[in-house]
Amino acid sequence: MSAQPPIRVGIVGANAKRGWARDAHIPALRELLGDFVLSAVSARTQVLAEEAREAYGAEAAFGDSLELARSPSIDLVCVVVKVPEHRAVVLAALAAGKHVYCEWPLGCDLAEAQEMAAAVGPGSHVMIGLQGLSSPAVRAAIDLVQSGSVGRPLAMRVYSPTAGWGTQAPPHYAYLQDKRNGATLETIAGGHTLAVMEALVGAFVEVDARNSILHSQIDVVGEGAVERTCADHMMVLGRHAGGCVSTLEVAGGVTGKPFRLELDGDAGWIRITGDFVGGFQGGVLTLETSVNDPPPVVATTDLTGPPANLAESYARLASDIRAGQRTVPDFERAVRLSRLLETIDLASTSGHRTTGAPT
């Protein structure tokens, strides 16, 4: 427990009955009470906000998310709403000098991400919600690569499945089928996976891709069929700055198959696996390696499932805020990843390999 006062958190997008705030953010914060206190929640209406306040023990409830973002009783604004709503809340919080944790993707497109990154002031700590980068297994794997324990990375193979973007969706996930909303298989499942790949072996400098819509219409439960305009299957062939080559398959509508990342170096290998149905970043990951005496995989909490890697992210952010350092994935990382996704989309639509590191 820190000797400093707890960081006062306001969660934008709290709901007492369902949602990522309920399933992941709230239990993660409860495990880190020495560093954080839940000061406020907001929702679409004051009634829903009051329900969330009572359910989670927050001190205040706001029916207006921008009011929460500007509240003097909040230090850290956590943005856990649909992607098209990120921009307004993030900009309001940054203008008020707040620290911000924003779920990934940062914005609906590269331009929005760039605008928000440019708005970060010197007094604000920001973190983008790429919680897979905070997984203890991933961080231990990064240590193995950076220490030279597996030698020079040669080839990486990744299979990243998710139950999302199948042939059916609940009404509150209908918006994920529209590419214009920025919350797609490419950006969410693809973005989380690409971030880990780059963290391990460096930036992509060349990509070839095929993003496909295998199911053009899906059934929204209770509402009927809607057209899908974003890909539900993604394949990327890449080359990284250090010379490593990689293959990535992101598969939507898949259950019962594990996430698997394999990296071969000229002196050893690494394997990371996970079985969380909503995407690897939402669960505890397992690290295997050929290296003798690998670094320990040490978690901050005993949590499993969706809160586990999020608690690791929050712990890292608290440490940064306390120490005045900046080590967590920030909005500039989000801009770079958004640009990489645009590069991949261009390679797919043009049918041509795209070269040049997206910086």
Side-chain angles (χ1 to χ4, degrees), residues 248-302:
L248 166 64
E249 180 180 5
V250 182
V254 174
T255 59
K257 290 185 178 181
F259 170 85
R260 189 178 183 93
L261 180 154
E262 295 178 329
L263 172 62
D264 292 329
D266 61 9
W269 55 265
I270 289 170
R271 182 183 301 122
I272 299 173
T273 54
D275 59 5
F276 185 70
V277 69
F280 77 97
Q281 71 279 0
V284 174
L285 299 172
T286 299
L287 172 65
E288 300 171 88
T289 179
S290 64
V291 175
N292 293 325
D293 299 320
V297 177
V298 179
T300 301
T301 73
D302 294 327

Side-chain angles (χ1 to χ4, degrees), residues 209-226:
R210 178 62 60 88
N211 295 341
S212 304
I213 301 176
L214 303 182
H215 303 282
S216 60
Q217 284 200 332
I218 69 153
D219 175 43
V220 176
V221 178
E223 298 183 4
V226 300

Side-chain angles (χ1 to χ4, degrees), residues 14-17 41-55 61-64:
N15 188 300
K17 297 182 176 64
V41 292
S42 71
R44 294 188 180 279
T45 69
Q46 189 64 38
V47 170
L48 290 174
E50 291 291 348
E51 289 178 356
R53 181 195 63 77
E54 184 175 352
F62 294 86
D64 182 342

Side-chain angles (χ1 to χ4, degrees), residues 89-306:
V89 179
V90 168
L91 291 178
L94 292 174
K98 308 297 184 185
H99 307 306
V100 178
Y101 180 104
C102 183
E103 282 293 351
W104 167 260
L106 180 55
C108 288
D109 53 28
L110 175 59
E112 283 195 1
Q114 290 173 319
E115 181 184 11
M116 285 179 268
V120 178
S124 295
H125 288 259
V126 297
M127 186 172 194
I128 188 64
L130 294 166
Q131 67 267 31
L133 295 176
S134 294
S135 160
V138 170
R139 297 186 72 190
I142 292 170
D143 288 343
L144 281 171
V145 175
Q146 292 182 347
S147 69
S149 298
V150 296
R152 181 169 63 91
L154 300 176
M156 177 187 291
R157 299 167 298 279
V158 186
Y159 178 69
S160 187
T162 175
W165 295 279
T167 57
Q168 191 177 73
H172 57 279
Y173 283 159
Y175 93 109
L176 298 176
Q177 315 311 318
D178 188 339
K179 187 171 183 176
R180 295 171 298 179
N181 289 324
T184 65
L185 175 123
E186 300 109 300
T187 61
I188 298 176
H192 279 288
T193 312
L194 291 162
V196 169
M197 293 173 71
E198 287 203 321
L200 282 167
V201 297
F204 281 88
V205 295
E206 183 177 274
V207 295
D208 208 342
R210 178 62 60 88
N211 295 341
S212 304
I213 301 176
L214 303 182
H215 303 282
S216 60
Q217 284 200 332
I218 69 153
D219 175 43
V220 176
V221 178
E223 298 183 4
V226 300
E227 183 180 1
R228 171 177 284 152
T229 61
C230 69
D232 48 29
H233 191 268
M234 180 179 185
M235 299 192 77
V236 181
L237 176 67
R239 182 171 61 85
H240 299 260
C244 184
V245 294
S246 65
T247 62
L248 166 64
E249 180 180 5
V250 182
V254 174
T255 59
K257 290 185 178 181
F259 170 85
R260 189 178 183 93
L261 180 154
E262 295 178 329
L263 172 62
D264 292 329
D266 61 9
W269 55 265
I270 289 170
R271 182 183 301 122
I272 299 173
T273 54
D275 59 5
F276 185 70
V277 69
F280 77 97
Q281 71 279 0
V284 174
L285 299 172
T286 299
L287 172 65
E288 300 171 88
T289 179
S290 64
V291 175
N292 293 325
D293 299 320
V297 177
V298 179
T300 301
T301 73
D302 294 327
L303 291 169
T304 60

